[in-house]
Amino acid sequence: QKEVEQDPGPLSVPEGAIVSLNCTYSNSAFQYFMWYRQYSRKGPELLMYTYSSGNKEDGRFTAQVDKSSKYISLFIRDSQPSDSATYLCAAPNTGNQFYFGTGTSLTVIP
Amino acid sequence: DVKVTQSSRYLVKRTGEKVFLECVQDMDHENMFWYRQDPGLGLRLIYFSYDVKMKEKGDIPEGYSVSREKKERFSLILESASTNQTSMYLCASSLLGQAPYEQYFGPGTRLTVT
């Protein structure tokens, strides 16, 4: 079983829709959970992270972690064409190595 | 602002050639990483280094080697390139032991081996 698994998509939504991106993880020792965004032909960049369980909001983006079910989610409200990208969930271990999901490709149609 | 740069955005090499991919970061980070990214497989760790001259194998080190002679520079070497090494190669860096351990990525090198 992979340390972090991600719904592969691809996902295609109309502009203004609410988007839900999801991952699960297997290692209960993970404390930090990240979401990276990767535009086409670019490197990933950190979008946001959460520590332990709970929600974190940043503008139209909300990251949610449920440690009891080992579930990670990213919600995008009022999605825009500029949100079209691949989204990667990730969790680091204490050795600073990252475990990445395979990524979900999102297209927001104007 | 952290900057991670990679020597080439696109590279085309022939089977059997020795290939060097270079990565430089300007934020004095201890950790540096090399990944390859393939559709459906995501990011896979090839090698990482937490200090000068130190290296650790990742998940898929076969066919690759690395060199870290200076803190800011981490090189990935394909000793004898093969077509199954055609991929996007991403370099990343991070601070050692600094939660949340954010990794900063370079723009990537798309390598094609013919």
Side-chain angles (χ1 to χ4, degrees):
Chain A
Q1 185 185 6
K2 287 191 70 176
E3 300 272 1
V4 177
E5 307 238 28
Q6 184 168 4
D7 292 347
L11 215 52
S12 185
V13 301
E15 183 175 351
I18 296 174
V19 176
S20 171
L21 303 168
N22 304 296
C23 295
T24 58
Y25 65 95
S26 57
N27 188 340
S28 55
F30 288 154
Q31 293 291 326
Y32 288 91
F33 304 91
M34 331 295 244
W35 283 97
Y36 279 79
R37 179 173 61 194
Q38 184 177 21
Y39 290 115
S40 182
R41 297 186 183 86
K42 297 278 177 72
E45 55 181 357
L46 183 66
L47 185 60
M48 57 196 304
Y49 72 89
T50 52
Y51 174 72
S52 195
S53 271
N55 290 2
K56 186 172 182 179
E57 196 172 310
D58 185 1
R60 296 183 294 108
F61 298 86
T62 300
Q64 193 173 78
V65 177
D66 181 345
K67 292 200 86 179
S68 62
S69 59
K70 297 191 177 72
Y71 207 79
I72 313 164
S73 299
L74 178 71
F75 299 98
I76 308 173
R77 288 187 304 280
D78 187 25
S79 55
Q80 302 295 308
S82 58
D83 296 329
S84 298
T86 296
Y87 291 80
L88 299 150
C89 57
N93 64 13
T94 52
N96 298 180
Q97 291 183 61
F98 269 57
Y99 298 95
F100 286 91
T102 50
T104 302
S105 174
L106 171 68
T107 302
V108 180
I109 302 164
Chain B
D1 221 22
V2 178
K3 199 141 197 155
V4 180
T5 56
Q6 295 183 229
S7 49
S8 306
R9 294 299 307 274
Y10 299 94
L11 213 49
V12 180
K13 295 291 181 181
R14 292 194 181 277
T15 303
E17 277 194 82
K18 191 168 186 175
V19 182
F20 293 87
L21 303 182
E22 301 244 305
C23 175
V24 177
Q25 51 93 5
D26 66 357
M27 282 303 291
D28 205 33
H29 285 173
E30 294 87 0
N31 294 334
M32 295 189 76
F33 306 82
W34 274 107
Y35 295 90
R36 63 176 283 177
Q37 186 176 31
D38 301 287
L41 297 176
L43 283 161
R44 291 182 291 169
L45 182 65
I46 304 171
Y47 269 97
F48 70 98
S49 168
Y50 53 88
D51 201 355
V52 175
K53 296 195 186 296
M54 304 301 289
K55 61 185 179 186
E56 296 284 342
K57 291 180 181 178
D59 300 317
I60 50 162
E62 296 79 20
Y64 303 94
S65 62
V66 290
S67 171
R68 192 160 181 207
E69 296 297 318
K70 293 186 176 181
K71 191 175 184 180
E72 68 271 19
R73 190 179 295 268
F74 193 34
S75 301
L76 179 70
I77 303 147
L78 286 67
E79 295 290 341
S80 177
S82 64
T83 54
N84 64 12
Q85 292 179 310
T86 291
S87 186
M88 168 73 103
Y89 289 88
L90 288 160
C91 175
S93 72
S94 70
L95 283 169
L96 180 66
Q98 183 92 354
Y101 316 113
E102 178 183 354
Q103 291 194 5
Y104 296 84
F105 284 85
T109 296
R110 187 165 292 280
L111 172 68
T112 302
V113 182
T114 61

